[in-house]
């Protein structure tokens, strides 16, 4: 108890003030006595007084240094977590006794038994570190060392000693408030824990205040155990002393600081904490693992047959053994040559039978039980997906032609009327063949102007007046044509989750090709596919939506290209889309579309005659056409939930 009481008693630099006052009085008395002696014996002390005036005593004067004391080896400053500033004093030996105190906005560290080299006696500007510490002044204070940290803003000082290093940390109160959580208010603890930076541990213990000067680590652990109501068991190898000053620090953070300072570690079991050196805990865990492996090596092997209902035994065996090579009829993992044993022990093996879709596991009971548990989790029915696609191809066209056809030739007395001049000529020829002496033809195309719509004569009318010597032909043409068409293809397919499915429907069109030389040509029949094809791979997400990776293709025969001496080759109109889309279950979405629109105007006429006013209409033909085509592809996925039978 005396140690605890002394450890908790604050030590301030004010205690040395009376000693300094007495020392000043003693120095004043010595100076007065020296003055009296100097007056009595001026010749004897004059050289020493002159020497003292010429060479004043420096801070590093050996006369002012403590014989056998430690020296400051290095002064370092770093930025810590939460914007805190860390001062690290490193000594060249053991036994340093630093003392920290707060004086206004400054933190003073006095090391009475440490010397400060002249190379370290300089101010440090640490403003750029963005911490509460703005300036560090290191100086020789009498026979010791003094470090002054000039700070700015509200902060909380902490200090602890580890070996030859003494660390002083100034934590901003904002960051300190996030880490210090009161045990009585759990709501505040939760909010502060959520405000902790990512990767930084959130401490929730009751704040404690410690001010220790070179006290045993076991004493500190005992005090932390009393504050935390934990049962702490310290190993016999936990030795050494520690110096630290912590103000309003959570007890679990204080415990971590002490363990870190002395290279210790802890393991918890319920409300019991075991504290030991890190190497000892690592060795204990390694020995425990080695003992478990040794027990597994001597354990009795068991054999278990595991039937697979929904999956593939070969795939599951490869997954559990982490091996990709299996035999053709059956196989699996086994033997000690494999570096990665998966879920098997060093003596275990896992094989499969394709015919019965069964796993054969040979291993120790613990590993076999683990394999059965994993198989139960993996061997589950997979949900299925119905994919319905709708491909709509809409065509619309409009055409209008207006024109006339006029001709003249020699003929006998007759009047013929029909739907076209060609029909009239046919009738005249038939009559001529019947009465060859009464008819003389000038030719079918004599002076004829033909601007009719190709192969379309339903809107024309022709008149032929047969005279004694001249035939007059006149044909009027007027045609308007409208077409509307819609082609709908509706493929449907059902597949399992993450399994590719393909559906095709259509035909193959054959055509001839010729191979060989000039004198030896060999005809060959080849085929082109004109298909409606749907290829899709669905993936059901955890939130119930469906991700589709799909390809839709719609081919049709557009026309045929004739090659002289060979035959006709089909020309295909191809429509294809490849995409990946995320769709809600049962939702219909348009995954692609193409819209085409064309408009054409044309006019054909006889030169000069077609330009005449009014009469020019008999020698020209006007045409206008419009065409519109639209392609739309709709997709609707529906998930079929499959429940596992008990």
């Amino acid at each position: 108890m005396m140690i605890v009481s002394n450890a908790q008693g604050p030590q301030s630099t004010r205690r040395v003030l009376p000693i300094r006052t007495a020392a000043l009085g003693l120095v004043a008395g010595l100076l007065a006595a020296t003055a009296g002696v100097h007056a009595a014996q001026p010749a004897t002390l004059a050289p020493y007084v002159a020497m003292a005036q010429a060479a004043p005593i420096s801070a590093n004067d050996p006369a002012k240094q403590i014989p056998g004391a430690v020296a400051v080896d290095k002064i370092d400053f770093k930025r810590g977590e939460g914007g805190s500033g860390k001062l690290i004093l490193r000594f060249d030996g053991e036994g340093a006794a630093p003392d920290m105190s707060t004086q206004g906005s400054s933190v003073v560290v006095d090391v009475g038994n440490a010397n400060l080299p002249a190379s370290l006696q300089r101010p440090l500007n640490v403003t750029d570190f963005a911490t509460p510490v703005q300036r560090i002044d290191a100086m020789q204070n009498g026979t010791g060392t003094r470090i002054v940290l000039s700070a700015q803003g509200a902060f909380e000082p902490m200090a602890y000693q580890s070996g030859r290093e003494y660390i002083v940390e100034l934590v901003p109160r904002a960051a300190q408030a996030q880490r210090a959580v009161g045990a009585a208010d759990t709501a505040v603890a939760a909010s502060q824990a959520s405000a902790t930076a990512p990767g930084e541990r959130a401490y929730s213990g009751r704040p404690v205040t410690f001010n220790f000067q070179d006290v045993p680590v076991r004493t500190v652990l005992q005090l932390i155990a009393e504050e935390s109501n934990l049962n702490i068991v310290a190993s016999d190898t936990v030795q050494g002393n520690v110096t630290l000053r912590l103000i309003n620090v959570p007890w679990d953070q204080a415990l971590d600081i002490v363990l870190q300072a002395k290279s210790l570690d802890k393991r918890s079991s319920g409300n019991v904490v075991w504290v030991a050196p890190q190497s000892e805990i690592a060795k204990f865990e390694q020995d425990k693992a080695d003992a478990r492996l040794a027990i597994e090596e001597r354990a009795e092997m068991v054999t278990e047959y595991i039937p697979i209902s929904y999956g593939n035994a070969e795939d599951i065996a490869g997954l559990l053994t982490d091996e990709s090579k299996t035999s053709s009829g059956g196989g699996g993992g086994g033997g000690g040559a494999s570096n990665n044993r998966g879920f098997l022990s060093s003596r275990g093996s896992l094989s499969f039978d394709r015919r019965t879709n069964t796993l054969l596991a040979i291993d120790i009971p613990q590993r076999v039980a683990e394999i059965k548990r994993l198989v139960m989790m993996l061997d589950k029915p997979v949900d299925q997906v119905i994919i319905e696609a709708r491909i709509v191809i809409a065509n619309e066209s409009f055409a209008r032609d207006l024109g006339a056809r006029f001709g003249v030739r020699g003929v006998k007395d007759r009047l013929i009327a029909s739907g076209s001049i060609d029909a009239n000529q046919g009738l005249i020829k038939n009559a001529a063949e019947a009465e060859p002496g009464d008819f003389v033809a000038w030719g079918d195309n004599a002076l004829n102007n033909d601007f009719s719509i190709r192969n379309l004569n339903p809107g024309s009318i022709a008149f032929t007046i047969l005279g004694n010597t001249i035939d007059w032909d006149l044909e009027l043409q007027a045609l308007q044509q409208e077409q509307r068409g819609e082609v709908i293809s509706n493929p449907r397919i059902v597949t399992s989750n993450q399994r590719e499915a393909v559906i095709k429907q259509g035909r193959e069109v054959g055509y001839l090709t010729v191979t060989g030389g000039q004198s030896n040509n060999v005809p060959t029949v080849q085929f082109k596919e004109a298909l409606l094809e749907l290829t899709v791979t669905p993936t059901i997400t955890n939130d119930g939506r469906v991700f589709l990776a799909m390809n839709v293709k719609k081919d049709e025969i557009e026309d045929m290209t004739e090659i002289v001496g060979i035959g006709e080759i089909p020309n295909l109109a191809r429509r294809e889309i490849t995409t990946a889309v995320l769709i809600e279950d049962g939702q219909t979405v348009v995954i692609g579309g193409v819209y085409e629109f064309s408009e054409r105007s044309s006019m054909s006429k006889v030169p000069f005659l077609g330009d005449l006013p009014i009469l020019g209409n008999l020698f020209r033909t006007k045409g206008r056409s419009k065409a519109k085509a639209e392609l739309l592809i709709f997709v609707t996925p529906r998930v079929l939930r499959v429940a596992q039978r008990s």
Side-chain angles (χ1 to χ4, degrees), residues 88-405:
I88 303 174
L89 296 180
R90 183 175 300 169
F91 303 100
D92 61 355
E94 303 287 348
D99 181 24
M100 185 188 73
S101 62
T102 303
Q103 299 180 3
S105 61
S106 300
V107 176
V108 180
V109 179
D110 287 319
V111 189
N113 61 339
N115 299 318
L116 185 65
S119 59
L120 299 179
Q121 297 181 22
R122 64 182 188 275
L124 298 176
N125 187 357
V126 294
T127 308
D128 295 339
F129 286 87
T131 66
V133 185
Q134 303 296 311
R135 178 185 175 92
I136 300 175
D137 294 301
M139 64 192 75
Q140 186 81 22
N141 182 23
T143 58
T145 299
R146 167 171 286 191
I147 309 295
V148 180
L149 288 79
S150 301
Q152 177 179 335
F155 62 89
E156 292 292 342
M158 295 189 301
Y160 59 92
Q161 187 173 356
S162 174
R164 297 184 179 183
E165 290 186 350
Y166 182 73
I167 296 97
V168 179
E169 184 176 2
L170 274 64
V171 182
R173 285 186 178 175
Q176 183 72 11
Q178 292 179 358
R179 293 188 291 180
V181 182
D185 193 352
T186 56
V188 176
S191 63
Q192 291 181 350
S194 61
T196 307
E200 181 182 356
R201 177 182 172 184
Y203 296 100
S204 57
R206 187 168 61 88
V208 295
T209 299
F210 293 147
N211 188 0
F212 298 152
Q213 289 286 341
D214 197 22
V215 297
V217 177
R218 290 176 171 271
T219 302
V220 179
L221 295 178
Q222 180 180 357
L223 293 175
I224 294 177
E226 294 176 356
E227 294 290 343
S228 61
N229 293 326
L230 287 178
N231 299 317
I232 296 181
V233 179
S235 175
D236 294 339
T237 53
V238 177
Q239 302 293 337
N241 297 344
V242 64
T243 298
L244 71 161
R245 183 175 187 265
L246 304 176
I247 300 176
N248 292 331
V249 177
W251 65 262
D252 46 357
Q253 184 182 9
L255 177 60
D256 287 347
I257 290 175
V258 173
L259 297 181
Q260 180 183 359
K262 303 304 292 183
S263 298
L264 301 175
D265 203 352
K266 67 179 185 295
R267 291 295 182 268
S268 301
S269 177
N271 65 339
V272 179
V273 178
W274 173 42
V275 177
Q278 297 175 357
S279 58
E280 182 176 341
I281 291 181
K283 184 178 182 303
F284 169 78
E285 293 180 346
Q286 182 64 39
D287 294 342
K288 185 177 179 181
D290 293 342
R292 180 179 57 81
L293 295 177
I295 294 175
E296 290 183 355
E297 289 294 331
R298 294 191 297 268
E300 182 182 0
M301 306 284 285
V302 296
T303 302
E304 188 77 26
Y305 297 93
I306 307 174
I308 305 299
S309 301
Y310 305 101
N312 184 276
E314 181 178 358
D315 295 339
I316 295 179
L319 177 64
L320 296 179
T321 58
D322 197 19
E323 295 179 357
S324 58
K325 293 183 179 180
T326 56
S327 62
S328 59
S338 177
N339 294 328
N340 192 339
R341 302 291 302 156
F343 294 92
L344 300 174
S345 66
S346 59
R347 297 186 297 159
S349 65
L350 184 66
S351 57
F352 58 88
D353 179 54
R354 288 195 182 97
R355 186 177 61 86
T356 59
N357 203 32
T358 304
L359 291 177
L360 175 61
I362 303 175
D363 211 329
I364 61 176
Q366 295 83 354
R367 295 299 180 96
V368 172
E370 180 66 15
I371 290 175
K372 292 180 65 177
R373 185 185 67 85
L374 292 174
V375 169
M376 186 178 298
M377 296 179 60
L378 297 175
D379 188 26
K380 293 183 178 180
V382 179
D383 292 339
Q384 297 179 346
V385 183
I386 299 178
I387 299 99
E388 178 182 358
R390 190 177 296 108
I391 304 172
V392 180
I393 304 174
N395 296 313
E396 183 178 344
S397 62
F398 170 82
R400 175 183 293 170
D401 282 355
L402 295 176
R405 186 177 181 186

Side-chain angles (χ1 to χ4, degrees), residues 409 411 414 416-418 420-441 444 464 466 471:
R409 63 182 174 175
V411 71
R414 274 183 197 178
I416 298 177
S418 68
S420 66
I421 292 178
D422 295 335
N424 288 353
Q425 293 175 359
L427 294 175
I428 294 173
K429 286 183 179 180
N430 293 335
E433 292 176 356
E435 300 178 6
D438 297 335
F439 174 73
V440 178
D444 293 342
T464 300
L466 303 179
D471 286 348

